[in-house]
Structure formats: structure tokens, C-alpha cells
Amino acid sequence: MFNAILLNKNEDGTTDATLTQIDDAQLPAEGDVTVRVDYSTINYKDGLAITGKSPVVRKWPMVPGIDGAGEVLASSHPDWKAGDAFVLNGWGVGEVHMGCLAQRAKLKGDWLIRRPEAISARHAMAIGTAGYTAMLCAIALQERGVHKDSGEILVTGASGGVGSVAIAILSGWGYRVIASTGKTAEADYLKALGAVDVIDRAELSAPGKPLQKERWAGVVDAVGSHTLVNALAQTRYGGAVAACGLAQGLDLPGSVAPFILRGVSLLGIDSVMAPKEKRIAAWDRLAADLPVAKIERITEEIGLADALSKAQDIIQGKIRGRLVVDVNR
């Protein structure tokens, strides 16, 4: 028996989330690698799953936790053997396949990547899907030709997990980063990560004109809706916007003007089903370019039992940075 967060669907459609004990027999039969999870984390999607605020979970019962890091216990997959250190991000884990907010998990070997030697299991989960997504965004901007001398980079949702890591990455690469946040009291925190200035999210969150004064060479957007539309409207000619989130909404209430009049590129960033080569490249860059000290600055560690209350906090926007879950306490 081992500890896990278990989600069940009530008759009225609400979600029942409890800390309980389950055994290996309850783990998915289709997994070919059994792992010991040392650390997991709570992302926004995990918060939605645990609270039931959005229909994230599509198979019941479910162990949430889209991220995990630890050690392989047993494997029938040719690429993995007992003792191997792994990192897992996404692939529908915690949605349709039992996840990593538990002391054990049974996963598909094709979903796992080898944890870089420079990154501990705890450090990997301090980065998590949020940080890995931030790196995918940063790489996408670089590949689109947005360089450190191109101009200012806007990061929206800056005090969240994606935003915090994006600031740390891009500032470390020499970019001039402007942070947008609704938590103006976090200005010192964001500047310590590398932001040169902080603006109130209210400047971007209301409906705006299709084209506005050009400012940003590039944007990392984790917010969507009007914020993304305004960011596009303010992006300079030939600039690029990497979109990876929906904190404000799924809608895109804008126009084609930035695309056809300024040649702006909208880059969709998917971290859930990204191919393995992209994942490995992103984690290699994270290991090389993201200082442990900056990650520690944005990290709060909690125990597995705390995940239930912290899931509510992350949905309500009360969390800054990253939540690391030690599943063994």
C-alpha cells in the first residue's frame, strides 16, 4: 500500500478528492514502467483536476499529478531498467492515466525522459511542466528570430509558474524582460528573477484596439483572451508571441491586423504531447541555463496532504512561482 491523492466523481458531478492509500493492483495495466515517485508538483491543470473547477479528468477514479520525478522500480520497456532516474511531464497523465501525486505510479516508458545529472528530482519538480513549457516558449522565440538585441520581451502571468521561469530563463540569456502581473506587490520578487520592469495586468486585460503602439519584440503569454490579443496588437513588426496558457480565458477576441499588417507570428506551444526530442532539448537547456538559486527563489515545498488545500489556492491565484510536493511527507 502507498499514499496517493485519489479523485472520484460524485453523483452530482462534483469531484471528491482525498488523501488515501492504494496498491499496485489499482494502477493502470497499460503502463510498462513502475516508478517510485520522489517529488511531484501542482500545476494549474492539477488544481483544476483536484478542485473539479474544469472537466480536466476524463477517467475515474484518478490520481492527479501531471509531473513526476524519481526512480524506476521495474520495467518491461527496453529503454528503462530499475534504478534509472526519470522525469515525466504531461501525456495525459493525471487526466486519463493515473498520475504522480502518489508515492508510486505505473507509466509508459515512451513518456519518460532521463533526468539530467545536473538536476535533482526535487529540482526537476521545481521546474515541472511550467518551467519546461517556459523553456519551450523561449526556444520558440529564439528559433523565430527574436534575439536579445531585438527589443523588449513581455511575459504575462509573470508571478505564476510559467511566467516566473520564463523571466529567469530569458533574463539569463540577456533579454530585456518586462513582467505583467496582477500582483503588483510582487514587483521585487519579479525583478529579482531578472525582470527590468513590472506592469499591471490591467493594462492588457481589457478590450483594446486591433493595432496599438509597437513595443514588444516577443511575448511569452500564459493568460490568453484579451491579454493575448493586446499583446499581439503591441508586438513590433516581425515579432513573435508564444502562447501557452489560458489563465484569463480560452477565447481570442481579436483581429487579423497584427498578422497581415505587421507580420507578427503567433506560436502555439503545446507541452502535453510534445515529441520526445523537443522534451530532451528543453530539459538539456534547463539543466544548463537555469540556475538552481533562481529556481529555489520561486519554490515552495509542501507535503502530499497539503496538495488538497494548495490546489484551491492555485486556482484562486494565491500562489506565486512553483509548488513542489514531497510525496513522502
Side-chain angles (χ1 to χ4, degrees):
M1 302 292 290
F2 55 89
N3 294 330
I5 301 292
L6 190 65
L7 308 181
N8 281 284
K9 190 174 184 178
N10 297 320
E11 289 185 2
D12 63 0
T14 59
T15 298
D16 180 50
T18 57
L19 174 61
T20 187
Q21 286 198 320
I22 62 176
D23 61 26
D24 285 351
Q26 293 170 266
L27 296 177
E30 63 268 26
D32 53 13
V33 180
T34 300
V35 301
R36 184 193 73 221
V37 180
D38 294 327
Y39 290 93
S40 185
T41 179
I42 302 179
N43 296 286
Y44 189 77
K45 185 180 286 185
D46 298 313
L48 291 173
I50 292 170
T51 61
K53 295 293 185 184
S54 182
V56 169
V57 177
R58 299 189 295 281
K59 187 175 180 180
W60 306 88
M62 179 58 60
V63 174
I66 67 173
D67 286 338
E71 185 176 296
V72 172
L73 296 175
S75 171
S76 60
H77 190 285
D79 293 346
W80 297 94
K81 65 181 187 304
D84 287 344
F86 77 92
V87 175
L88 169 81
N89 306 111
W91 293 114
V93 171
E95 301 174 68
V96 295
H97 186 103
M98 285 192 172
C100 293
L101 280 169
Q103 292 174 309
R104 284 195 185 196
K106 196 172 182 182
L107 306 165
K108 292 186 178 182
D110 289 343
W111 296 342
L112 309 179
I113 67 165
R114 298 188 186 281
R115 176 163 50 84
E117 290 186 5
I119 297 180
S120 68
R122 184 185 183 281
H123 187 187
M125 290 297 94
I127 296 169
T129 283
Y132 145 67
T133 302
M135 180 58 81
L136 290 176
C137 290
I139 291 172
L141 291 178
Q142 276 195 336
E143 290 178 342
R144 193 61 189 177
V146 180
H147 303 300
K148 64 181 181 179
D149 298 324
S150 299
E152 292 180 326
I153 305 296
L154 172 68
V155 175
T156 68
S159 62
V162 173
S164 294
V165 180
I167 292 168
I169 292 168
L170 290 164
S171 64
W173 289 354
Y175 288 82
R176 180 178 172 83
V177 181
I178 310 300
S180 167
T181 180
K183 303 174 183 176
T184 53
E186 301 287 7
D188 289 344
Y189 159 79
L190 296 170
K191 289 179 179 178
L193 290 176
V196 297
D197 198 8
V198 178
I199 62 175
D200 194 310
R201 70 180 178 197
E203 295 184 29
L204 297 165
S205 60
K209 295 179 180 179
L211 285 177
Q212 301 170 34
K213 183 178 179 181
E214 296 179 61
R215 180 168 184 183
W216 318 116
V219 179
V220 173
D221 177 66
V223 178
S225 192
H226 291 292
T227 297
L228 174 54
V229 170
N230 286 319
L232 286 163
Q234 295 175 13
T235 298
R236 292 163 54 175
Y237 190 93
V241 177
C244 64
L246 46 73
Q248 186 179 5
L250 275 167
D251 57 326
L252 191 64
S255 79
V256 299
F259 310 121
I260 63 174
L261 298 179
R262 290 183 180 164
V264 172
S265 297
L266 178 57
L267 311 174
I269 305 300
D270 166 54
S271 60
V272 177
M273 304 302 289
K276 199 164 189 175
E277 58 269 22
K278 277 194 172 185
R279 295 167 181 266
I280 293 170
W283 278 98
D284 285 347
R285 292 288 295 271
L286 287 162
D289 297 350
L290 188 59
V292 174
K294 282 198 173 183
I295 283 295
E296 286 300 318
R297 184 182 293 276
I298 70 174
T299 299
E300 176 185 355
E301 183 177 316
I302 62 174
L304 190 58
D306 302 317
L308 298 175
S309 60
K310 290 295 186 180
Q312 295 282 351
D313 290 343
I314 200 167
I315 294 301
Q316 295 170 12
K318 295 180 180 178
I319 302 296
R320 78 174 187 186
R322 302 284 298 125
L323 288 170
V324 171
V325 182
D326 180 346
V327 299
N328 296 300
R329 71 174 180 89

